[in-house]
Amino acid sequence: MSPIDRRTFVSMTTAATAASLAGASLGAGSAPVAQPGANPRPARAGDDHRCPCVISSGNGARTTAKAMDLIAAGTHPLDAIVEGTKIVEDDPSDMSVGLGGLPNEEGVVQLDASVMDGMLHRAGSVGSLENIKNPAAVALLVMRRTDHVMLVGPGALKFALRMGFKEENLLTDAAREAWLKWRGNLGRDDKWLNDDEREDLGQRKSGPRAEGSAAPRSSPHDARAGGPVIPDSTIPFTWGTIHTSAVTSTGHLAACTSTSGLSWKLPGRLGDSPIVGAGMYCDNAIGSAGATGRGEAVIQVCGAFSVVEHMDRGLSPTEACLAVLKRMADRTREKRLLDDKGRPNFNVTMYALRKDGAYGSASLWKGGSFAVHDGKENRVLESAWLFEK
Ligand code: ASP
């Protein structure tokens, strides 16, 4: 699929829409979203695709491959994508999901996940789940074995144990080291030595600090702009998550999102991933969608639900993603979340799959990708985007 760049996007829209986009980049925030009817439909590889299909975030190529195999063998699409998601949840080298996920500010890994069956229109979700590496499978059982939609914290853990899941330490050495590095460099007025104060790292020990000489604090929002503004850029900061949507050849849709959330988050923080309608949503009558990236921004525009609603109004999957991201950019008004040109200083990627198998994805910032298995081929493609550096 060829990505849409900002110039192409603007040229494809009417003057009114272009003006609205300009408003977003200035942070004006009051402009309406792109008018679906006013947009010519840009050609997209995914527009013409038909069922079956599995799409996932860029880290989900193994997930799409596994899920498509299972769907081809007749497995329920939700079981298929939860099974495919396990591959990434079990992989300690993916530090944004499951085992090995980066922990919260106290060094504790807390996982979130949600699932939805488009045929039953039933969902399940878990939040702040500790010690269980497959939260998506737990969310699936919340959906199938209880009358509830969402379980969090100790209640979610108790439920998982009752369902036979085993507790294990999810904090890998690599994630613990990353947390220690972040914690150590967080501030100068705490009892942890910053890297430039540690003689064992070959640094000259700094003398007593003059008032106001503290190094700048790291900001997750700066990091999300595409480069951590932290003293040592080797400290990883992830905004990864895995979202997967699938549709079978008979039009049965399913969605699943799983994450360790924002690294260094406050304990108990829930992002969009476990929120039905934000991190994922699906409806057999229309389509399925999901999100990765700054969850707070996704929640505040009801991201996945909005993408599905835009598809219902006739937008293609890619256009629907762009329209929601456009709204997100328009509604981002706080200075701390904007760059010097008034554009969001964080990233979000949306993924969409229509009931007939058409698919697409878009990011706020160029550089996003998504995996897609179209029934024949499994590929990672570049997402469309609104803004480019
Ligand atoms: N959306 C997830 C969250 O906010 C994390 C991410 O994708 O960066 O928890």
Side-chain angles (χ1 to χ4, degrees), residues 92-385:
S93 72
D94 190 316
M95 295 175 88
S96 66
V97 178
L99 176 69
L102 288 175
N104 65 20
E105 72 169 3
E106 292 177 351
V108 177
V109 180
Q110 292 188 319
L111 305 179
D112 306 328
S114 58
V115 300
M116 190 156 186
D117 179 345
M119 183 181 285
L120 286 177
H121 209 66
R122 274 275 277 144
S125 156
V126 289
S128 294
L129 177 64
E130 296 178 13
N131 299 336
I132 304 288
K133 70 179 173 186
N134 299 124
V138 182
L140 182 59
L141 287 172
V142 172
M143 187 192 99
R144 290 208 173 129
R145 301 293 292 267
T146 80
D147 182 45
H148 304 320
V149 168
M150 192 167 201
L151 293 176
V152 300
L157 175 59
K158 188 182 274 186
F159 172 78
L161 296 175
R162 284 179 175 167
M163 290 295 117
F165 289 84
K166 298 278 176 274
E167 280 193 87
E168 63 186 283
N169 177 20
L170 304 181
L171 188 66
T172 57
D173 284 346
R176 187 177 48 75
E177 286 297 337
W179 174 77
L180 276 174
K181 199 159 185 57
W182 168 78
R183 179 53 268 197
N185 287 286
L186 191 56
R188 292 185 173 275
D189 299 326
D190 56 31
K191 301 301 175 208
W192 298 80
L193 296 185
N194 287 45
D195 277 359
D196 64 356
E197 296 173 301
R198 285 181 54 190
E199 293 188 349
D200 59 313
L201 291 181
Q203 305 291 345
R204 193 167 57 83
K205 183 95 176 150
S206 42
R209 284 185 304 279
E211 191 144 356
S213 68
R217 292 244 171 186
S218 64
S219 154
H221 312 304
D222 294 337
R224 280 161 185 275
V229 182
I230 34 186
D232 184 332
S233 61
T234 61
I235 303 172
F237 183 94
T238 65
W239 53 93
T241 287
I242 180 163
H243 166 73
T244 308
S245 285
V247 63
T248 66
S249 47
T250 58
H252 189 167
L253 282 149
C256 170
T257 299
S258 179
T259 190
S260 56
L262 194 65
S263 61
W264 333 134
K265 62 193 175 185
L266 298 183
R269 174 262 188 192
L270 296 180
D272 58 320
S273 306
I275 310 291
V276 177
M280 60 98 238
Y281 181 78
C282 78
D283 182 342
N284 265 19
I286 310 166
S288 182
T292 60
R294 182 179 152 76
E296 283 73 6
V298 177
I299 292 171
Q300 290 166 156
V301 295
C302 301
F305 176 78
S306 299
V307 168
V308 170
E309 287 300 290
H310 278 301
M311 288 196 285
D312 197 28
R313 287 187 209 119
L315 266 65
S316 74
T318 307
E319 288 168 336
C321 292
L322 285 167
V324 171
L325 293 167
K326 167 75 179 56
R327 173 176 289 238
M328 190 182 291
D330 285 347
R331 300 300 188 272
T332 300
R333 296 167 183 175
E334 293 168 273
K335 269 196 184 133
R336 68 189 177 91
L337 297 174
L338 299 170
D339 71 5
D340 53 1
K341 292 188 179 149
R343 303 168 299 185
N345 64 12
F346 54 86
N347 207 2
V348 166
T349 303
M350 307 287 321
Y351 313 87
L353 180 59
R354 208 169 54 200
K355 64 178 181 182
D356 62 0
Y359 63 83
S361 166
S363 302
L364 280 173
W365 288 95
K366 183 180 177 182
S369 63
F370 67 107
V372 56
H373 198 311
D374 59 12
K376 295 192 182 93
E377 209 182 346
N378 195 35
R379 291 176 292 167
V380 175
L381 302 176
E382 193 167 22
S383 303
W385 66 84

Side-chain angles (χ1 to χ4, degrees), residues 45-63:
D47 282 358
D48 301 326
H49 180 262
R50 295 298 174 257
C51 306
C53 186
V54 184
I55 63 165
S56 187
S57 37
N59 55 349
R62 291 171 295 169
T63 302

